[in-house]
Amino acid sequence: MKGGAMKGGSMKGGSMKGGSMIEYEFWNLTIDRTKSRSAVCRMLTDAAEYQGWELDRLRKDGSGQRTVTLRRKIIRMRSTL
């Protein structure tokens, strides 16, 4: 996208670890090349610190556009009754 804008969406997925299913929510972002490295770092740090996201994948293509995939665990509450 032009002008340093970003776009994103979310999807759900999971992986097996220790015999139980851990579910993750994913957020895919596309960040324009006009965004500085420090601005992208600040944005990703804020998403991790305040919203619980962690970096899953970061790709930078030949034109300088970044594709970022963030993930966070989905916590399911079990009934105790």
Side-chain angles (χ1 to χ4, degrees):
M1 297 190 71
K2 299 271 182 192
M6 61 186 155
K7 62 180 180 178
S10 65
M11 60 183 174
K12 294 181 182 177
S15 64
M16 294 294 286
K17 186 176 183 180
S20 63
M21 184 71 154
I22 298 175
E23 291 185 86
Y24 291 99
E25 178 181 9
F26 292 89
W27 184 18
N28 295 315
L29 297 169
T30 303
I31 303 171
D32 194 66
R33 59 178 284 206
T34 58
K35 284 274 195 189
S36 70
R37 182 176 178 170
S38 62
V40 172
C41 183
R42 191 174 333 114
M43 180 195 68
L44 295 175
T45 301
D46 287 344
E49 189 171 342
Y50 299 115
Q51 299 173 356
W53 293 100
E54 59 186 38
L55 184 63
D56 185 53
R57 181 177 299 140
L58 179 105
R59 289 182 166 187
K60 190 172 181 182
D61 64 13
S63 68
Q65 183 172 331
R66 295 173 182 95
T67 303
V68 180
T69 303
L70 301 175
R71 73 178 186 180
R72 66 178 169 190
K73 288 182 184 177
I74 298 174
I75 300 172
R76 303 263 186 228
M77 301 303 275
R78 293 186 186 178
S79 177
T80 57
L81 299 177

PDB file of all heavy atoms in Angstrom, residues 40-52:
ATOM      1  N   VAL A  40       8.511   0.633  12.296  1.00  0.00           N
ATOM      2  CA  VAL A  40       7.964  -0.734  12.249  1.00  0.00           C
ATOM      3  C   VAL A  40       8.291  -1.461  13.553  1.00  0.00           C
ATOM      4  O   VAL A  40       7.441  -2.134  14.136  1.00  0.00           O
ATOM      5  CB  VAL A  40       8.518  -1.496  11.026  1.00  0.00           C
ATOM      6  CG1 VAL A  40       8.111  -2.962  11.081  1.00  0.00           C
ATOM      7  CG2 VAL A  40       8.026  -0.859   9.740  1.00  0.00           C
ATOM      8  N   CYS A  41       9.531  -1.302  14.027  1.00  0.00           N
ATOM      9  CA  CYS A  41       9.945  -1.934  15.283  1.00  0.00           C
ATOM     10  C   CYS A  41       9.086  -1.447  16.446  1.00  0.00           C
ATOM     11  O   CYS A  41       8.642  -2.231  17.283  1.00  0.00           O
ATOM     12  CB  CYS A  41      11.421  -1.643  15.533  1.00  0.00           C
ATOM     13  SG  CYS A  41      12.067  -2.430  17.009  1.00  0.00           S
ATOM     14  N   ARG A  42       8.819  -0.143  16.497  1.00  0.00           N
ATOM     15  CA  ARG A  42       7.986   0.439  17.557  1.00  0.00           C
ATOM     16  C   ARG A  42       6.562  -0.098  17.491  1.00  0.00           C
ATOM     17  O   ARG A  42       5.970  -0.454  18.513  1.00  0.00           O
ATOM     18  CB  ARG A  42       7.985   1.959  17.419  1.00  0.00           C
ATOM     19  CG  ARG A  42       7.395   2.690  18.590  1.00  0.00           C
ATOM     20  CD  ARG A  42       7.538   4.214  18.499  1.00  0.00           C
ATOM     21  NE  ARG A  42       8.679   4.661  17.702  1.00  0.00           N
ATOM     22  CZ  ARG A  42       8.569   5.335  16.546  1.00  0.00           C
ATOM     23  NH1 ARG A  42       7.398   5.643  16.051  1.00  0.00           N
ATOM     24  NH2 ARG A  42       9.637   5.707  15.880  1.00  0.00           N
ATOM     25  N   MET A  43       6.012  -0.210  16.270  1.00  0.00           N
ATOM     26  CA  MET A  43       4.652  -0.712  16.101  1.00  0.00           C
ATOM     27  C   MET A  43       4.551  -2.169  16.554  1.00  0.00           C
ATOM     28  O   MET A  43       3.623  -2.544  17.259  1.00  0.00           O
ATOM     29  CB  MET A  43       4.229  -0.592  14.640  1.00  0.00           C
ATOM     30  CG  MET A  43       2.827  -1.084  14.392  1.00  0.00           C
ATOM     31  SD  MET A  43       2.469  -1.346  12.670  1.00  0.00           S
ATOM     32  CE  MET A  43       3.519  -2.735  12.304  1.00  0.00           C
ATOM     33  N   LEU A  44       5.530  -2.994  16.155  1.00  0.00           N
ATOM     34  CA  LEU A  44       5.506  -4.409  16.531  1.00  0.00           C
ATOM     35  C   LEU A  44       5.741  -4.593  18.026  1.00  0.00           C
ATOM     36  O   LEU A  44       5.150  -5.473  18.653  1.00  0.00           O
ATOM     37  CB  LEU A  44       6.548  -5.187  15.726  1.00  0.00           C
ATOM     38  CG  LEU A  44       6.296  -5.256  14.215  1.00  0.00           C
ATOM     39  CD1 LEU A  44       7.450  -5.951  13.523  1.00  0.00           C
ATOM     40  CD2 LEU A  44       4.980  -5.914  13.904  1.00  0.00           C
ATOM     41  N   THR A  45       6.586  -3.756  18.622  1.00  0.00           N
ATOM     42  CA  THR A  45       6.818  -3.812  20.067  1.00  0.00           C
ATOM     43  C   THR A  45       5.548  -3.460  20.830  1.00  0.00           C
ATOM     44  O   THR A  45       5.206  -4.122  21.819  1.00  0.00           O
ATOM     45  CB  THR A  45       7.956  -2.861  20.463  1.00  0.00           C
ATOM     46  OG1 THR A  45       9.138  -3.238  19.756  1.00  0.00           O
ATOM     47  CG2 THR A  45       8.221  -2.907  21.950  1.00  0.00           C
ATOM     48  N   ASP A  46       4.830  -2.440  20.381  1.00  0.00           N
ATOM     49  CA  ASP A  46       3.568  -2.063  21.031  1.00  0.00           C
ATOM     50  C   ASP A  46       2.531  -3.177  20.917  1.00  0.00           C
ATOM     51  O   ASP A  46       1.812  -3.462  21.880  1.00  0.00           O
ATOM     52  CB  ASP A  46       3.016  -0.776  20.429  1.00  0.00           C
ATOM     53  CG  ASP A  46       3.802   0.454  20.852  1.00  0.00           C
ATOM     54  OD1 ASP A  46       4.573   0.372  21.826  1.00  0.00           O
ATOM     55  OD2 ASP A  46       3.637   1.504  20.189  1.00  0.00           O
ATOM     56  N   ALA A  47       2.455  -3.809  19.745  1.00  0.00           N
ATOM     57  CA  ALA A  47       1.497  -4.908  19.563  1.00  0.00           C
ATOM     58  C   ALA A  47       1.836  -6.067  20.496  1.00  0.00           C
ATOM     59  O   ALA A  47       0.946  -6.709  21.053  1.00  0.00           O
ATOM     60  CB  ALA A  47       1.496  -5.379  18.112  1.00  0.00           C
ATOM     61  N   ALA A  48       3.123  -6.337  20.687  1.00  0.00           N
ATOM     62  CA  ALA A  48       3.534  -7.424  21.575  1.00  0.00           C
ATOM     63  C   ALA A  48       3.288  -7.080  23.032  1.00  0.00           C
ATOM     64  O   ALA A  48       2.762  -7.891  23.801  1.00  0.00           O
ATOM     65  CB  ALA A  48       5.014  -7.734  21.359  1.00  0.00           C
ATOM     66  N   GLU A  49       3.649  -5.871  23.419  1.00  0.00           N
ATOM     67  CA  GLU A  49       3.573  -5.492  24.833  1.00  0.00           C
ATOM     68  C   GLU A  49       2.152  -5.271  25.322  1.00  0.00           C
ATOM     69  O   GLU A  49       1.791  -5.702  26.419  1.00  0.00           O
ATOM     70  CB  GLU A  49       4.396  -4.222  25.056  1.00  0.00           C
ATOM     71  CG  GLU A  49       4.556  -3.861  26.501  1.00  0.00           C
ATOM     72  CD  GLU A  49       5.555  -2.739  26.717  1.00  0.00           C
ATOM     73  OE1 GLU A  49       6.360  -2.469  25.821  1.00  0.00           O
ATOM     74  OE2 GLU A  49       5.505  -2.138  27.798  1.00  0.00           O
ATOM     75  N   TYR A  50       1.329  -4.624  24.521  1.00  0.00           N
ATOM     76  CA  TYR A  50       0.003  -4.229  24.995  1.00  0.00           C
ATOM     77  C   TYR A  50      -1.130  -5.139  24.521  1.00  0.00           C
ATOM     78  O   TYR A  50      -2.196  -5.159  25.116  1.00  0.00           O
ATOM     79  CB  TYR A  50      -0.301  -2.789  24.580  1.00  0.00           C
ATOM     80  CG  TYR A  50       0.680  -1.809  25.173  1.00  0.00           C
ATOM     81  CD1 TYR A  50       1.547  -1.084  24.365  1.00  0.00           C
ATOM     82  CD2 TYR A  50       0.778  -1.626  26.548  1.00  0.00           C
ATOM     83  CE1 TYR A  50       2.456  -0.202  24.904  1.00  0.00           C
ATOM     84  CE2 TYR A  50       1.686  -0.752  27.094  1.00  0.00           C
ATOM     85  CZ  TYR A  50       2.523  -0.037  26.272  1.00  0.00           C
ATOM     86  OH  TYR A  50       3.433   0.835  26.804  1.00  0.00           O
ATOM     87  N   GLN A  51      -0.916  -5.895  23.452  1.00  0.00           N
ATOM     88  CA  GLN A  51      -1.991  -6.723  22.905  1.00  0.00           C
ATOM     89  C   GLN A  51      -1.670  -8.206  22.933  1.00  0.00           C
ATOM     90  O   GLN A  51      -2.493  -9.019  22.526  1.00  0.00           O
ATOM     91  CB  GLN A  51      -2.314  -6.287  21.477  1.00  0.00           C
ATOM     92  CG  GLN A  51      -2.782  -4.845  21.400  1.00  0.00           C
ATOM     93  CD  GLN A  51      -2.929  -4.372  19.964  1.00  0.00           C
ATOM     94  OE1 GLN A  51      -2.620  -5.093  19.016  1.00  0.00           O
ATOM     95  NE2 GLN A  51      -3.398  -3.153  19.796  1.00  0.00           N
ATOM     96  N   GLY A  52      -0.475  -8.596  23.349  1.00  0.00           N
ATOM     97  CA  GLY A  52      -0.139  -9.997  23.508  1.00  0.00           C
ATOM     98  C   GLY A  52       0.306 -10.716  22.245  1.00  0.00           C
ATOM     99  O   GLY A  52       0.360 -11.938  22.214  1.00  0.00           O
TER     100      GLY A  52
END
